[in-house]
Amino acid sequence: MGLYRIRVSTGSSLCAGSQNQVQLWLVGQHGEAEIQKRLRPARGQETEFKVDVEEHLGPLLFVKLQKWHFLQDDAWFCNWISVQGPGDSGEEFTFPCYRWVEGSGILSLPEGTGRTVVDDPQDLFKDYREKELEKKRNLYRWGNWKDGLILNVVGATISDLPADERFLEDKRIDFEASLAKGLADLAIKDSLNVFTCWNDLDDFNRIFWCDQSKLAKKVRDSWKEDALFGYQFLNGANPMILRRSRQLPARLKFPPGMEELQIQLEQELQGGRLFEADFVLLDGIKANVILCSQQYLAAPLVMLKLQPDGKLLPMVIQLQLPRVGCPPPPLFLPTDPPMVWLLAKCWVRSSDFQIHELQSHLLRGHLMAEVITVATMRCLPSIHPIFKLLIPHLRYTLEINVRARTGLISDKGVFDQVVSTGGGGHVELLQRARAFLTYRSFCPPTDLADRGLLGVESSFYAQDALRLWEILYGYVQGIVYLHYKTNEAVRDDLELQTWCREITEVGLRGAQDQGFPNSLQSRDQMCHFLTMCIFTCTGQHSSTHLGQLDWYTWVPNAPCTMRLPPPTTKDVTLETVMATLPNCHQASLQMSITWQLGRRQPVMVALGQHQEEYFSGPGPKDVLKKFREELAVLEKEIETRNAKLDMPYQYLQPSLVENSVAI
């Protein structure tokens, strides 16, 4: 009863406004009032008006809205609705939406305070929670792209996705325009080089068009150097495979005459300076056939030593595993003839390309984020505080992953066309890699400890990942402690427990044997699990995504495919190297896709900088403010360090880390 001031905010994307009329109702604890005024929301506008309400409403619980249309349904993107009253001294309530309003059904928006089931003793929101979850479980259903993989959202094309998971117009236009530009560049490069000879490493300069990355040019100029080769295991596009050696690998067999090498390796091992990168996951994977031409794979092992100056230098490369009844495979050394050693390193870099793109980037970044997204949408109502915490970090993940399944890794997609694991090998590799999805490996403090990288001063990835994890944990803890005062409150939250179980037992297909929890028993355990979720969707994906443009644009440094088998002797010439590396078309396609996906995105939200306000009240806002302040401190720390480095490490710099897996 009294005068209420109502504000309605519409999104700013191209089609956010609507020509349809919108009807509102205010729902309070003691009554409900229909608002006679009808709105026609305009893009990017905030509409404000006052209404006199005769009914006694009490504290507001919901705003209900309905969009009317006569001939055509014109979807409306509503940001939020704010209601203040009764009277000028009345409390202001905010009702977050941030979704598309379609059709003519009635949509209820709960007030923005995060509430668990335990926080609703009068069951004021019980009916809303149950109906919303029932609807979302029908919208977000689990699918299985290929047997033996973790699950994904059902849907063969992007049009199968719920409207709220689709790119907004600015993102869609930029993505599709960049794809068109990449294809145009590919056509130009192919036409310019169709009749030219391709017989020298410098010939790759003909297709090296990279104005966006200074580091890519440095890679082109220095890729043959052992120091740059070793640096990439620490701080390159794939920092996830290197580990400190605890013993000499059993697969490392020393042919006669290499006793001195074995002694050197054992000395480095005893000194704690020996590291390894083992690509055994590739062993036995069937290689692709491209245009009737067989491609090839290897399963290398690299042993490296960490020098006092922080440089990581290769000591020996073994390209294949020993086979029973066969002579041990050759060991390639830095003292071998230059072309022999270079080709061995090219094989390692090509193998790293396969493992990086499929295991580190796609599986551990994109597909893991998709499991978190689908489970969140299915199990947590929008009023739940953990939904509000997570939802900014799930934006666009489903669409970018569906696009990957229909373009990059699909039948006749980019992997089939140009990558040596294409043609089915990529699926087999993903299936194998699922066994290595351990909970510890998704949490930098335990992952880096397990891999022996703690305290390695030249591992900037390790330093920044630990700092970012620490800041994220504090942010998560701030939100959790606001809404869960005791460990018992965690255990009693049935929606939260269902969500955790959905991730581990359903989406990850029984990953409790790999250390993932299927229940949350305390606030600290809950904070750790949530930090893992957000770090996976932000920092971890960034660390394996942002480096692609820098390290993969110069194709010899990361060949997408190899056209001759791995050498079994040390009889290698420049002709052998050129015949092994990708041809002109393959290299051009690699560069085009690398540019499209690896370029700095003009439409992106940096970590913690989302504009959506899903929480009401000062508590969560204060937690977010502190989070942003700590990110700014980390940003400055990284900038200060990078100013002293010849090669700055930026892949976990907060301003460059995207807030979700959106590319």
Side-chain angles (χ1 to χ4, degrees), residues 416-427:
D416 282 4
Q417 294 177 44
V418 76
V419 180
S420 54
T421 46
H426 59 310
V427 177

Side-chain angles (χ1 to χ4, degrees), residues 515-530:
F516 283 86
N518 54 12
S519 67
L520 299 172
Q521 298 299 310
S522 69
R523 295 195 298 175
D524 289 347
Q525 185 191 19
M526 178 182 176
C527 290
H528 195 87
F529 189 71
L530 285 167

Side-chain angles (χ1 to χ4, degrees), residues 356-412:
H356 165 249
E357 292 293 10
L358 292 169
Q359 182 184 28
S360 302
H361 186 194
L362 177 62
L363 179 60
R364 296 176 56 87
H366 284 258
L367 301 187
M368 182 66 179
E370 184 167 359
V371 168
I372 296 167
T373 301
V374 176
T376 301
M377 301 310 293
R378 286 175 56 84
C379 300
L380 297 178
S382 58
I383 197 173
H384 198 286
I386 302 310
F387 179 91
K388 294 173 179 287
L389 171 67
L390 290 176
I391 190 64
H393 306 293
L394 310 179
R395 187 180 193 226
Y396 294 155
T397 296
L398 297 188
E399 172 154 350
I400 197 64
N401 283 6
V402 170
R403 285 182 180 269
R405 284 192 288 273
T406 56
L408 287 177
I409 56 175
S410 62
D411 291 342
K412 300 180 181 178

Side-chain angles (χ1 to χ4, degrees), residues 586-601:
Q586 292 166 337
S588 297
L589 183 54
Q590 174 178 330
M591 279 198 60
S592 296
I593 297 299
T594 296
W595 175 82
Q596 188 209 4
L597 299 180
R599 70 195 175 101
R600 299 294 187 261
Q601 298 297 306

Side-chain angles (χ1 to χ4, degrees), residues 17 30 102 278 283 287 330 351 376 385 404 433 438 440 513 584 626 630:
H30 303 305
E102 299 179 303
D278 194 343
D283 186 45
S351 301
T376 301
T438 65
R440 291 179 64 87
D513 293 340
C584 178
K626 182 181 178 184
E630 292 182 347

Side-chain angles (χ1 to χ4, degrees), residues 207-220:
I207 60 168
F208 184 74
W209 298 352
C210 190
D211 297 328
Q212 291 198 11
S213 171
K214 294 180 180 179
L215 182 52
K217 295 176 182 177
K218 187 173 186 65
V219 171
R220 176 195 61 184

Side-chain angles (χ1 to χ4, degrees), residues 554-574:
W554 180 249
V555 174
N557 184 63
C560 59
T561 191
M562 300 292 259
R563 296 181 293 138
L564 289 180
T568 55
T569 70
K570 298 189 178 182
D571 182 18
V572 173
T573 64
L574 174 62

